[in-house]
Amino acid sequence: MTDTKITTFWSAAGGVGKTTLAVVQAQELARQGEKVALLDFSETRPEICRHLGLPFLSPEEILPAIEEKPMVTGKIFARKGNLHVFTGVPLEQFEMFQEKHFAAIIQGAREKFKNSIIDTNAGIFFSATAAALKASDNINVVLRPDMPCLEDTAAMINFLSERWGINRNRFKFYLNRILPGKGELDRETAEKILGREVLVVSQKRTKPENRLLKFFRKGGLIHAHKSL
Ligand SMILES: Nc1ncnc2c1ncn2[C@@H]1O[C@H](COP(=O)(O)OP(=O)(O)O)[C@@H](O)[C@H]1O
Ligand SMILES: [Mg+2]
């Protein structure tokens, strides 16, 4: 398939809203009628499938399916309507998977879906995160509004650009200022530290309509997909 796009949600610090925003964006694209791949690449507790009410696909069975040519995507993605979800690999089984396996899953998604959204871990060196960062057309960097998060982000992006050759223009920045009880920095400060435009994740005061969003945000619907 030509003109396909891989978008990764990534951050330097944990607990900033990556999973929340990745799911919101994938659901929004699916709602618009597109077939979308949503890849859960968080290594400790893959949780997207549980929230979407999907079965967890066994990593042992996925591994041979990845190596078949052509790849058997039906065995790798669990399906819910237009969403096709790679349900992830928990920590206990993570060592079976190398960066090349995650890269192959991304390539399989790229060949089949116009849009693929990847939810990653914080940091750089997990094989799944590394594969996602190297393969992505867009890297949506989620920021917590505090100084350590912004400084770590700037340092890691320098590394990714200088050592792995990842073009800085692929990074887009989202300041999640509505995380409960986390930091107060404003957009201007974030832009000064990163030297780039930063968008703020805002909140819509309507009731969440679906279970997943209810789970993620009790009280107000996260309303970021328009700018993502
Ligand atoms: N914009 C937001 N408004 C309110 N709560 C949020 C928002 N973004 C994330 N959260 C909450 O913060 C916590 C961490 O979010 P999560 O998406 O799991 O972060 P990450 O994937 O980066 O670890 C979750 O409990 C989530 O519901
Ligand atoms: Mg997460």
Side-chain angles (χ1 to χ4, degrees):
M1 192 185 278
T2 52
D3 193 26
T4 61
K5 198 158 76 180
I6 310 288
T7 300
T8 285
F9 283 78
W10 174 77
S11 65
V16 298
K18 293 181 295 298
T19 301
T20 309
L21 297 179
V23 171
V24 168
Q25 191 185 24
Q27 287 194 313
E28 178 60 18
L29 289 168
R31 199 186 59 77
Q32 290 167 12
E34 276 187 39
K35 277 192 195 163
V36 183
L38 175 60
L39 278 48
D40 191 339
F41 275 15
S42 39
E43 93 286 357
T44 355
R45 284 175 294 120
E47 55 182 13
I48 289 176
C49 67
R50 194 162 47 86
H51 300 316
L52 291 172
L54 285 168
F56 184 74
L57 301 184
S58 150
E60 280 96 349
E61 287 172 30
I62 286 172
L63 213 45
I66 293 172
E67 280 164 354
E68 272 177 56
K69 301 268 181 287
M71 191 193 287
V72 192
T73 43
K75 288 190 189 160
I76 296 170
F77 297 98
R79 183 167 173 206
K80 183 171 190 179
N82 283 333
L83 276 183
H84 297 253
V85 182
F86 172 71
T87 58
V89 183
L91 204 50
E92 309 86 67
Q93 287 148 316
F94 210 80
E95 285 175 315
M96 292 178 353
F97 281 71
Q98 297 159 22
E99 189 178 324
K100 68 172 184 189
H101 297 119
F102 292 108
I105 295 167
I106 298 170
Q107 186 55 32
R110 194 190 273 288
E111 283 163 17
K112 196 141 184 214
F113 304 103
K114 191 160 173 253
N115 271 290
S116 302
I117 310 292
I118 311 179
D119 178 28
T120 62
N121 300 294
I124 296 176
F125 289 115
F126 266 102
S127 46
T129 309
L133 290 171
K134 288 174 188 172
S136 289
D137 305 292
N138 283 330
I139 301 170
N140 288 346
V141 182
V142 187
L143 305 162
R144 207 174 53 202
D146 67 36
M147 206 49 102
C149 177
L150 294 177
E151 288 174 350
D152 287 354
T153 304
M156 285 189 196
I157 288 178
N158 279 340
F159 178 92
L160 291 170
S161 154
E162 284 161 23
R163 303 286 286 273
W164 293 3
I166 297 179
N167 187 325
R168 286 175 192 271
N169 293 330
R170 289 198 216 155
F171 295 94
K172 310 271 184 296
F173 298 91
Y174 296 91
L175 185 64
N176 194 351
R177 292 200 78 223
I178 49 172
L179 283 169
K182 303 244 173 98
E184 290 297 327
L185 286 189
D186 58 15
R187 177 159 71 143
E188 289 68 28
T189 312
E191 289 187 331
K192 213 176 282 168
I193 292 165
L194 294 165
R196 292 284 302 277
E197 183 189 19
V198 173
L199 298 174
V200 175
V201 174
S202 62
Q203 201 173 1
K204 188 174 150 191
R205 303 204 178 280
T206 52
K207 282 224 154 106
E209 278 155 26
N210 76 36
R211 249 180 54 223
L212 184 77
L213 288 173
K214 263 186 195 154
F215 169 83
F216 278 127
R217 179 73 186 109
K218 298 189 186 78
L221 173 61
I222 293 137
H223 190 60
H225 58 258
K226 284 206 176 120
S227 56
L228 288 169

